[in-house]
Amino acid sequence: MENKVKPNGKATLTAGGKSVELPVYSGSVGPDVIDIGKMYAQTGMFTLDPGFTSTASCESQITYIDGDAGILLHRGYPIDQLAEQSSFLEVCYLLLKGELPNAAQHKEFDSTITRHTMLHAQFDRFFEGFRRDAHPMAIMCGTVGALSAFYHDSTNVDDPIQRQVAQHRMIAKMPTIAARAFKYSAGQPFVSPRNELDYASNFLRMCFAVPAEDYKINPVLAKAMDRIFILHADHEQNASTSTVRLAGSSGANPFACIAAGIACLWGPAHGGANEAALQMLQEIGTVENVGPYVQKVKNKEAGVRLMGFGHRVYKNYDPRAKVMAQTCREVLKEVGAESDPLLPVALELERVALSDEYFIERKLYPNVDFYSGITLKAMGFPTSMFTVLFALARTVGWIAQWEEMTTDNTQRIGRPRQVYTGAPQRDYVPIGQRK
Ligand code: ACO
């Protein structure tokens, strides 16, 4: 990556009895940043920012979010335009290369990804090592990490060609792995990829075809799947992406770094939210129970939160949620799931939360996961697969961010500091002398 931050004056900090000047930099859009890299050397103090709410960890040219305005741009293009007019593979190319592909580039990229979708036959034995009732995210973590044991020729992070091959392999093989995780838990035989199908259709067929009956591609569902992949493709320096960058900062191989990202994504405050949102709707059960449940949330009973609501960055609305809500309606109509008893519960919850002062005050809006859970359920996926689909889609974002970090001249191993509040130095006491 060619670094592009521009100096834009200085900030004065008075700390530890000293006044020091710290450089201020500007990006192309968004708030300026204060470079505190030399602050410890100048003042003897660190900064403290749990959760990184005011800290930029890197320079990036991939994704821009303005949380207050509800804007999400990939390489400058608004997410709604990409979701409505582009395709997932085109967005992958955009995230990785920085520009939309022309027709020839698109054809070549499509063909490369399509021809990397198969897994080494020996790789299938990994799946058999898992219990049948293993969570598919556990299978994803394990098997994606295991890719580094199979594809040694693409683990040298200093070789740009090897890095590119690893990137293509992961984008191509992730749907095959995800579908196998699904099939394994369903006790059905694995379905091999078909090169004549597009990325989303191929994935749906690998999930839903059985030897007794092939899967008939439904264009509405294939389009919805592709759109869900686009909406989850990248999201700036979120927890899992930062995990991938931190793992990569030590020079770890790309497959290991993506496995680390999958592990982080699994948590209910992050990628696990769509699964948690659907479980919450099931727990609420009926429209009549919505009011009492919301009251429980407002009373903060046992830490109950509205899953699928709120976002660390979006404090206005989640621009992905708008497109997802529309896709949700299209899918429910197509599969005739308007009669799903959870749908009225979801709609009532959305209505109550959007008009309640508690949620308005805290700027808590439905996020993309609120609608994606309902949509994926209607498409036939069990809740345990929701985060797997998120991981599949986010792989390209992790990879693009990892590549950017690897080629950034300012990159160093990530090593945060701490404020220590444990015991100060003391002498070891032999066990017989302890009270
Ligand atoms: N339901 C109820 N109250 C909430 C919620 C929620 N979902 N989210 C935040 N709040 C409240 C908090 O209790 C707090 O209230 P207080 O000021 O009275 O103490 C206030 O809003 C601020 O909350 P924070 O925890 O400081 O917000 P933060 O930005 O750290 O959290 C997060 C963001 C983790 C996403 C949170 O909103 C949440 O837990 N949401 C539910 C899980 C979820 O949907 N995650 C998906 C994120 S999107 C994604 O990963 C694709």
Side-chain angles (χ1 to χ4, degrees), residues 1-22:
M1 177 183 76
E2 189 199 335
N3 295 88
K4 289 185 176 165
V5 283
K6 293 194 192 78
N8 187 14
K10 304 236 181 266
T12 307
L13 174 82
T14 305
K18 286 185 200 154
S19 236
V20 294
E21 290 207 317
L22 300 169

Side-chain angles (χ1 to χ4, degrees), residues 269-270 273 300 305-309 311-312 362 364 367 369:
H270 192 11
K300 298 188 178 165
R305 286 191 165 199
L306 281 192
M307 300 315 284
F309 279 73
H311 199 274
R312 168 58 64 77
R362 288 170 179 75
L364 298 169
N367 59 46
D369 290 327

Side-chain angles (χ1 to χ4, degrees), residues 335-363:
V335 302
E338 291 114 317
S339 56
D340 185 331
L342 290 189
L343 187 61
V345 179
L347 294 177
E348 177 64 3
L349 188 63
E350 184 190 28
R351 190 192 66 74
V352 170
L354 287 177
S355 55
D356 189 304
E357 210 38 54
Y358 180 94
F359 297 95
I360 296 171
E361 227 173 60
R362 288 170 179 75
K363 302 189 173 177

